[in-house]
């Protein structure tokens, strides 16, 4: 649909010996095009970019076939490892940027604390070293994923250790900074949330949280055996500090005194969902929402193989469970495990174990899958694979996902969506949180195959989430990959309180990430750069509140040039984003709050 065009300009005093030949050829054949003036050209040709509306359907990448054909190792999990590493590195990067900003604000509000220092060398040295290391890690991760073999397990583990060390260093610095001058002697735990939206975290640890100063943040807590399970509501882009206690003294929070989450009949349930596990096959038989009729979806493991049981009539294997049993069950946490095999009639082609996990206060059901493939898969990865097969009720459901950083309608057939797939059935939405699993196929109108194992794949463990009516799936998919940034043994109650935030993005339709610290020519902190993305696929106005008053803010290009001033209201920046727009925002602190 595009017109191939060559622009020819005549310069005074010069000529080309080939122009006459070209003009003469054009008189006999259009093979080399036809001559036309610039005015006439724009009169008779349309502007392609005014009519093009490219979607995910227009692009058919063939990365999976290429990876398998080149005998690459881990065609699927190498991509998954990249997404996990990138997510953890973004956390570490955001943590160091927060550290810069909090340290600069501390010096701005308490200049006498640093009067004896000759310069800001401590902060500058730490910032420079951390930024240099993080940039090296980004380059290493990008370089590895661009190789045909992808990101290997060995390289991934080495990079993961470096990312973890960088995050731990940032946590130590942050703990020292926010507890400086504290008169408390209690040892506690500090948890940091680098996302600009609030999060609900959960974990199991030997010690419980007291949370006397932050009781509203402790959603639920319960001693289970020798450990304490805690569910915590974190402020957006901030921290929470709490003293710790043994399991016997741990407060319960807002936890009901009954209603265990798992039952002996292989069911799970909390405030948001009721889940039934089939006792014969071990698959997720039904997922219901309280007070609403109808099954949301079902899912099972299946091998797709055109050989089937010797014929191509039934290319999908069948799940058969040898054991389905309730694991742990309490008012705060429940799990049901299923063990068995995948069968083509009398041939067992794989063994599986699925642990279904559900937490109090969570909209996400977690599926932890372990596989042992017995049958050798074929060279064609799209016609010989082992997948999680999801069935949903409506054949008119629309599948949405993130493609190239923007929210897109996903096509029927093969497609790539490593973050999430939202099943939109008009009156409700169910989301698969994929944790980096990239390759999928909508086999029919009501069935979705998410590929786990193809030829060359050595990874056997996978983690997938099923979300119920998530407020914003893109942000949920980002945080699904993250690990809690938690440090034990932090002394004293911070001077700024047990709970505090640094940045807030409202509403959550805008995904805001800390990009870098802005420094003046002398190396002092003067502002912060944010990456802002619209993730709901519609026009959105966002309000970004900051930890200090803002002098000015503007959209920026990647060279740091001002490309549009933004409205500022004291500590808030207002920005309007078109559908799927992303931009850099530079925020400069008010001059009377500049770092001394």
């Amino acid at each position: 649909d595009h017109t191939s065009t060559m622009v020819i300009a005549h310069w005074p005093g010069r000529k080309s010996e080939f122009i006459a030949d070209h003009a003469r050829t054009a008189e006999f054949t259009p093979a080399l095009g036809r001559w036309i003036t610039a005015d006439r050209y724009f009169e008779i040709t349309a502007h392609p970019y005014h009519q093009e509306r490219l979607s995910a359907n227009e692009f058919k990448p063939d990365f999976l076939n290429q990876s398998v054909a080149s005998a690459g190792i881990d065609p699927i999990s190498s991509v998954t490892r990249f997404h996990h590493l990138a997510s953890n590195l973004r956390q570490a990067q955001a943590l160091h940027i927060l550290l810069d900003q909090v340290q600069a604000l501390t010096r701005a509000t308490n200049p006498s604390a640093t009067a004896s220092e000759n310069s800001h060398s401590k902060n500058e040295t730490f910032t420079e070293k951390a930024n240099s290391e993080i940039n090296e890690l980004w380059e290493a991760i990008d370089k590895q994923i661009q190789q045909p073999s992808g990101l290997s397990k060995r390289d991934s583990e080495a990079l993961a250790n470096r990312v973890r060390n960088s995050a731990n260093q940032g946590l130590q610095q942050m703990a020292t900074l926010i507890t400086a001058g504290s008169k408390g002697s209690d040892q506690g735990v500090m948890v940091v949330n680098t996302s600009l939206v609030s999060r609900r975290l959960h974990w199991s640890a030997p010690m419980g949280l007291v949370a006397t100063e932050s009781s509203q943040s402790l959603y639920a807590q319960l001693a289970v055996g020798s450990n304490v399970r805690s569910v915590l509501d974190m402020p957006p882009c901030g921290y929470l500090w709490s003293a710790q206690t043994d399991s016997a003294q741990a407060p319960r929070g807002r936890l009901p005194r009954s209603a265990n989450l798992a039952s002996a009949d292989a069911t799970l349930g909390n405030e948001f969902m009721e889940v039934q596990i089939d006792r014969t096959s071990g698959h997720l038989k039904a997922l219901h929402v309280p007070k609403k009729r109808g099954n949301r979806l079902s899912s099972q493991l299946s091998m797709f193989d055109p050989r089937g049981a010797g014929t191509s009539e039934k290319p999908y294997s069948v799940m058969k469970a040898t054991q389905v049993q309730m694991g742990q069950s309490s008012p705060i946490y429940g799990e049901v495990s299923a063990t068995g095999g995948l069968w083509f009639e009398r041939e067992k082609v794989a063994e599986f174990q699925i642990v279904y996990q559900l937490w109090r206060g969570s909209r996400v059901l977690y599926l932890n899958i372990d596989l042992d493939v017995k049958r050798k898969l074929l060279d064609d990865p799209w016609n010989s694979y082992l997948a999680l097969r999801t069935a949903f009720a409506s054949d008119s459901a629309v599948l949405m996902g993130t493609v190239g950083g923007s929210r897109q309608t996903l096509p029927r057939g093969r497609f790539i969506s490593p973050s999430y797939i939202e099943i939109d059935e008009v009156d409700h939405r169910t989301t698969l949180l994929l944790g980096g699993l990239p390759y999928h196929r909508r086999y029919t109108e009501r069935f979705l195959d998410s590929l786990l194992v193809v030829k060359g794949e050595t990874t056997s463990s996978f983690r997938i989430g099923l979300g119920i009516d998530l407020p914003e799936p893109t942000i949920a998919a980002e945080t699904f990959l993250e690990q809690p940034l938690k440090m034990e043994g932090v002394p004293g109650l911070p001077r700024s309180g047990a709970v505090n935030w640094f940045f807030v993005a409202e509403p959550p339709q805008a995904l805001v990430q800390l990009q870098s610290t802005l420094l003046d020519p002398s190396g002092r902190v003067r502002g912060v750069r944010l990456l802002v993305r619209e993730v709901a696929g519609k026009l959105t106005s966002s309000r970004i509140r900051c930890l200090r008053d803002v002098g000015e803010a503007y959209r920026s290009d990647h060279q740091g040039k001002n490309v549009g001033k933004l409205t500022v209201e004291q500590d808030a920046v207002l920005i309007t984003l078109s559908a799927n727009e992303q931009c850099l925002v530079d925020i400069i602190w008010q001059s009377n709050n500049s770092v001394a």
Side-chain angles (χ1 to χ4, degrees):
D1 295 334
H2 294 276
T3 303
S4 299
T5 304
M6 178 173 68
V7 179
I8 298 177
H10 173 66
W11 299 96
R14 299 183 183 182
K15 67 177 183 178
S16 170
E17 59 181 302
F18 304 110
I19 290 297
D21 293 337
H22 195 173
R24 180 173 174 77
T25 302
E27 295 178 358
F28 295 95
T29 174
L32 299 182
R34 63 191 179 98
W35 290 86
I36 192 170
T37 64
D39 290 341
R40 182 60 179 161
Y41 173 82
F42 288 111
E43 287 177 2
I44 65 174
T45 58
H47 299 291
Y49 49 84
H50 287 170
Q51 302 176 11
E52 292 285 354
R53 291 294 183 269
L54 302 179
S55 66
N57 303 8
E58 304 296 326
F59 303 94
K60 301 294 182 183
D62 203 25
F63 300 132
L64 183 58
N65 277 327
Q66 293 171 359
S67 181
V68 174
S70 64
I73 299 177
D74 295 338
I76 294 176
S77 60
S78 61
V79 181
T80 306
R81 287 192 288 268
F82 167 81
H83 283 278
H84 278 269
L85 270 173
S87 176
N88 293 334
L89 185 52
R90 276 192 295 269
Q91 275 187 293
Q93 182 177 13
L95 187 59
H96 290 302
I97 295 170
L98 280 178
L99 180 61
D100 291 338
Q101 301 302 324
V102 175
Q103 195 166 29
L105 179 60
T106 302
R107 287 176 171 170
T109 55
N110 298 283
S112 59
T114 55
S116 60
E117 296 182 12
N118 188 31
S119 68
H120 301 284
S121 58
K122 273 188 181 178
N123 185 31
E124 291 168 13
T125 302
F126 178 78
T127 302
E128 182 179 354
K129 181 180 179 182
N131 288 341
S132 175
E133 184 177 11
I134 286 173
N135 290 335
E136 288 179 9
L137 286 168
W138 277 123
E139 291 177 3
I141 292 173
D142 290 339
K143 182 179 179 181
Q144 290 292 331
I145 197 62
Q146 291 174 17
Q147 296 179 1
S149 58
L151 189 59
S152 68
K153 287 183 180 179
R154 184 182 65 181
D155 292 335
S156 174
E157 291 173 358
L159 290 171
N161 287 333
R162 292 179 61 188
V163 172
R164 197 177 301 112
N165 290 337
S166 179
N168 288 338
Q169 291 175 9
L171 275 175
Q172 291 173 357
Q173 294 282 338
M174 182 65 76
T176 302
L177 186 60
I178 68 172
T179 58
S182 171
K183 297 180 180 179
S185 58
D186 292 337
Q187 295 286 321
V189 59
M190 184 191 72
V191 189
V192 178
N193 174 25
T194 58
S195 174
L196 269 71
V197 296
S198 57
R199 291 186 60 190
R200 180 164 287 174
L201 301 178
H202 46 72
W203 63 71
S204 179
M207 300 288 285
L209 305 180
V210 176
T212 304
E213 303 292 333
S214 55
S215 57
Q216 294 300 313
S217 298
L218 186 60
Y219 182 82
Q221 188 167 248
L222 189 68
V224 180
S226 59
N227 285 340
V228 179
R229 296 191 182 273
S230 304
V231 180
L232 200 62
D233 285 335
M234 288 293 299
C237 195
Y239 71 87
L240 182 145
W241 181 93
S242 171
Q244 294 177 285
T245 184
D246 57 35
S247 58
Q249 302 296 324
R252 293 171 61 91
R254 289 166 279 172
L255 185 67
R257 296 188 175 278
S258 59
N260 288 348
L261 270 57
S263 303
D265 60 352
T267 61
L268 292 163
N270 67 358
E271 309 97 306
F272 301 107
M273 70 184 82
E274 297 172 358
V275 181
Q276 299 176 11
I277 311 301
D278 190 280
R279 299 184 65 83
T280 303
S281 65
H283 78 281
L284 196 161
K285 183 178 180 180
L287 192 154
H288 295 275
V289 174
K291 299 180 181 180
K292 291 186 179 181
R293 298 180 61 183
N295 177 26
R296 283 288 186 97
L297 58 77
S298 303
S299 69
Q300 65 176 352
L301 294 172
S302 186
M303 177 180 285
F304 182 90
D305 194 326
R307 296 168 294 182
T311 67
S312 59
E313 294 180 0
K314 297 180 179 180
Y316 282 101
S317 64
V318 177
M319 281 182 75
K320 295 181 181 179
T322 56
Q323 187 179 52
V324 176
Q325 62 180 2
M326 179 185 71
Q328 299 182 35
S329 181
S330 69
I332 196 171
Y333 172 82
E335 70 176 37
V336 172
S337 62
T339 306
L342 305 183
W343 294 79
F344 280 116
E345 293 185 357
R346 298 183 180 180
E347 181 188 0
K348 183 193 288 187
V349 294
E351 294 179 350
F352 72 85
Q353 181 184 44
I354 309 177
V355 180
Y356 301 92
Q357 298 176 322
L358 188 63
W359 285 81
R360 174 69 61 185
S362 175
R363 289 183 176 270
V364 179
L365 171 71
Y366 297 92
L367 279 65
N368 295 284
I369 302 169
D370 288 291
L371 297 170
D372 183 8
V373 181
K374 304 295 184 182
R375 174 185 279 194
K376 186 177 180 180
L377 296 170
L378 301 177
D379 292 338
D380 184 357
W382 288 106
N383 285 299
S384 181
Y385 57 79
L386 199 151
L388 178 70
R389 197 163 199 233
T390 304
F392 35 93
S394 175
D395 57 6
S396 61
V398 177
L399 302 188
M400 306 294 294
T402 300
V403 180
S406 65
R407 182 177 169 86
Q408 296 268 353
T409 301
L410 300 173
R412 182 173 176 176
R414 307 169 186 176
F415 59 87
I416 295 177
S417 183
S419 298
Y420 72 90
I421 297 174
E422 182 182 73
I423 305 168
D424 188 348
E425 299 183 80
V426 183
D427 58 339
H428 58 257
R429 295 172 293 111
T430 310
T431 306
L432 275 72
L433 302 176
L434 302 165
L437 289 171
Y439 303 113
H440 314 273
R441 180 169 76 159
R442 189 170 183 173
Y443 190 65
T444 62
E445 296 299 337
R446 292 182 51 247
F447 290 92
L448 171 69
D449 292 358
S450 298
L451 277 60
L452 303 177
V453 179
V454 296
K455 183 178 179 181
E457 186 63 51
T458 62
T459 298
S460 58
S461 298
F462 308 89
R463 182 175 173 84
I464 295 175
L466 297 179
I468 298 296
D469 298 322
L470 299 176
E472 181 41 62
T474 303
I475 296 177
E478 291 282 336
T479 56
F480 180 74
L481 292 168
E482 296 176 355
Q483 297 295 324
L485 292 173
K486 185 175 63 167
M487 172 164 286
E488 307 277 353
V490 178
L493 178 67
R495 291 178 300 167
S496 53
V499 183
N500 213 336
W501 60 267
F502 304 126
F503 293 91
V504 183
E506 303 167 340
Q509 281 77 17
L511 176 63
V512 184
Q513 296 173 329
L514 300 173
Q515 192 75 3
S516 62
T517 297
L518 300 179
L519 306 175
D520 63 15
S522 63
R524 297 179 296 181
V525 174
R526 63 188 289 264
V528 63
R529 175 169 292 174
L530 308 176
L531 174 64
V532 184
R533 290 171 48 198
E534 196 288 319
V535 294
K538 59 184 179 182
L539 183 68
T540 298
S541 294
S542 182
R543 180 185 180 90
I544 304 170
R545 294 191 62 194
C546 306
L547 75 169
R548 58 197 295 186
D549 287 346
V550 178
E552 61 176 343
Y554 50 86
R555 295 172 186 261
S556 170
D557 62 17
H558 288 273
Q559 281 73 45
K561 296 180 181 178
N562 182 337
V563 294
K565 195 170 183 178
L566 299 173
T567 302
V568 172
E569 295 180 353
Q570 292 185 339
D571 67 344
V573 176
L574 280 62
I575 182 172
T576 299
L577 303 166
S578 58
N580 295 319
E581 180 184 359
Q582 69 174 29
C583 65
L584 294 175
V585 172
D586 283 358
I587 297 176
I588 308 302
W589 305 130
Q590 202 171 76
S591 57
N592 59 0
N593 281 342
S594 61
V595 181

